[in-house]
Amino acid sequence: MILALLGSASQLAAGENQPWNDPQNALIVDAYELNTINWDQLLQDKRIAAFISKASDGLPENFACTGDHAGDTFAHCKTMWRKYAVSRELYQTRRMLAKMNGLLWGAYHLGRPGNPIDQANHFLDYADPKPDELMVLDIDGMDTTQFMSLDNAQIFISHIKARTGRYPILYTNHNTARYIADHREDYPILSRLPLWYARYKPDVKGTFPLGNWDNYALWQFSSSDNCSEKTCPYRVPGTLTDIDVNVAPMTKVQLAKIWPQGDLLPAKPEPAPMIIAKAPSCTAPLQTLVSLMVDPIVTASAPPKPVEINELNYQDF
């Protein structure tokens, strides 16, 4: 389903300059609990097709507030529990408002260090995703002291599939996406999830195809990183400059048909290995000189996997 509908649309949108300026392309807002939203104003923008909300973040918290609680005070523990309870209520309220007003709904989990199965269960318990709703795993970077490792991401994804029958899509930045694409033999599931691509540039010419990704499923083109009171790629009414805005390479009708996602993209063959030819000696027979015998020496198509992966050793050139 995803490929059939992305076909003609992606041909037009891949590499297109500022595709959010095309009124035919659907826009998607994504938010977390601290983004303030005036829903009456937001709904005036008829290009907004969907709303993706932050659900869970890392491992579930322990709000028993007994004993040491990892050095936390009893009062602060209770405060954090109230914040957590309010954020869950806000999530449910926003879902109801969005769907009542015809918006598609999705939820994302921010992957952190720690048991990926516990995180997957935490996400499903928090978001309670319905069959018509999008699920997202958010990997913000490759620093495994802050974010879920790519190996754990594969476990997270597999557990979501086992419990729901569907795969989530992947949200990540250019550096991480490129690393996954370059090492897709190591991440056969992660590299085949539809890509929610975060990059704050006016176009993505030359980026795609990228590994198994012929194009982005969603492109997050605007956030607090490149939107201010003076300039902003796109302003959503009823929101402040810290709201994230995304574009899909298709119309609202096309997006609605594939929104819940759930399938993997086709796996593409690895690039053919480079072969170095051995130079013939001057005394070699003429037939050998003409045929240029090939020495089966294969060069690596990608650098070896580093012991520690982070933004500093995998730069965006």
Side-chain angles (χ1 to χ4, degrees):
M1 177 68 76
I2 183 171
L3 293 180
L5 288 171
L6 275 178
S8 60
S10 62
Q11 293 296 322
L12 295 174
E16 180 185 344
N17 191 47
Q18 300 183 359
W20 50 90
N21 289 331
D22 183 344
Q24 295 300 311
N25 288 334
L27 297 180
I28 300 94
V29 170
D30 70 274
Y32 68 112
E33 62 269 16
L34 296 182
N35 292 122
T36 59
I37 299 171
N38 183 317
W39 283 86
D40 288 336
Q41 294 179 21
L42 181 146
L43 293 168
Q44 297 304 309
D45 188 338
K46 299 307 179 183
R47 289 189 61 195
I48 304 297
F51 192 105
I52 304 175
S53 175
K54 181 181 179 182
S56 45
D57 188 330
L59 290 165
E61 290 285 349
N62 175 16
F63 292 112
C65 298
T66 58
D68 179 63
H69 194 69
D72 200 359
T73 65
F74 178 84
H76 184 259
C77 176
K78 287 296 184 183
T79 299
M80 295 306 294
W81 166 245
R82 285 191 290 270
K83 178 181 180 295
Y84 176 76
V86 169
S87 71
R88 290 198 68 172
E89 184 176 345
L90 178 62
Y91 175 90
Q92 298 292 348
T93 302
R94 284 180 169 177
R95 172 157 65 177
M96 179 183 66
L97 285 170
K99 298 183 81 168
M100 282 179 55
N101 285 280
L103 298 183
L104 304 167
W105 181 262
Y108 70 89
H109 173 84
L110 180 54
R112 299 287 192 182
N115 188 304
I117 293 179
D118 289 345
Q119 292 192 57
N121 289 332
H122 179 35
F123 169 68
L124 294 176
D125 292 344
Y126 189 110
D128 187 24
K130 308 304 180 186
D132 63 342
E133 297 174 358
L134 181 71
M135 300 181 292
V136 185
L137 172 60
D138 177 350
I139 303 293
D140 272 0
M142 293 184 288
D143 181 351
T144 54
T145 65
Q146 297 185 61
F147 307 112
M148 181 181 285
S149 71
L150 301 184
D151 290 327
N152 279 349
Q154 293 239 127
I155 298 172
F156 177 99
I157 292 160
S158 298
H159 192 68
I160 295 293
K161 176 65 163 63
R163 281 196 56 184
T164 67
R166 292 190 292 139
Y167 289 104
I169 72 169
L170 173 67
Y171 169 96
T172 197
N173 57 31
H174 175 72
N175 290 349
T176 308
R178 192 180 67 174
Y179 186 89
I180 293 169
D182 288 347
H183 299 82
R184 59 187 184 273
E185 71 281 1
D186 296 326
Y187 309 109
I189 302 175
L190 194 63
S191 64
R192 293 177 59 195
L193 300 180
L195 178 63
W196 180 1
Y197 183 64
R199 201 175 193 190
Y200 311 121
K201 292 191 173 186
D203 64 63
V204 290
K205 292 178 180 177
T207 299
F208 297 94
L210 182 65
N212 292 317
W213 295 305
D214 285 332
N215 194 15
Y216 54 83
L218 304 175
W219 173 11
Q220 186 180 94
F221 64 87
S222 181
S223 75
S224 57
D225 289 339
N226 65 339
C227 182
S228 66
E229 293 294 341
K230 292 184 178 180
T231 61
C232 191
Y234 191 90
R235 296 192 187 278
V236 177
T239 68
L240 302 179
T241 58
D242 61 346
I243 201 76
D244 296 336
V245 192
N246 311 266
V247 63
M250 62 189 72
T251 66
K252 291 173 66 174
V253 172
Q254 291 174 318
L255 183 65
K257 291 180 179 179
I258 65 166
W259 179 251
Q261 300 285 348
D263 296 324
L264 295 177
L265 300 172
K268 292 187 175 181
E270 293 292 322
M274 296 174 62
I275 299 177
I276 300 176
K278 180 188 292 183
S281 66
C282 294
T283 59
L286 180 59
Q287 183 177 0
T288 303
L289 290 171
V290 173
S291 62
L292 292 175
M293 295 296 291
V294 175
D295 188 338
I297 301 175
V298 180
T299 64
S301 59
K305 191 173 181 178
V307 174
E308 181 178 354
I309 307 166
N310 55 52
E311 299 288 353
L312 298 178
N313 62 20
Y314 208 78
Q315 293 295 320
D316 176 6
F317 293 109

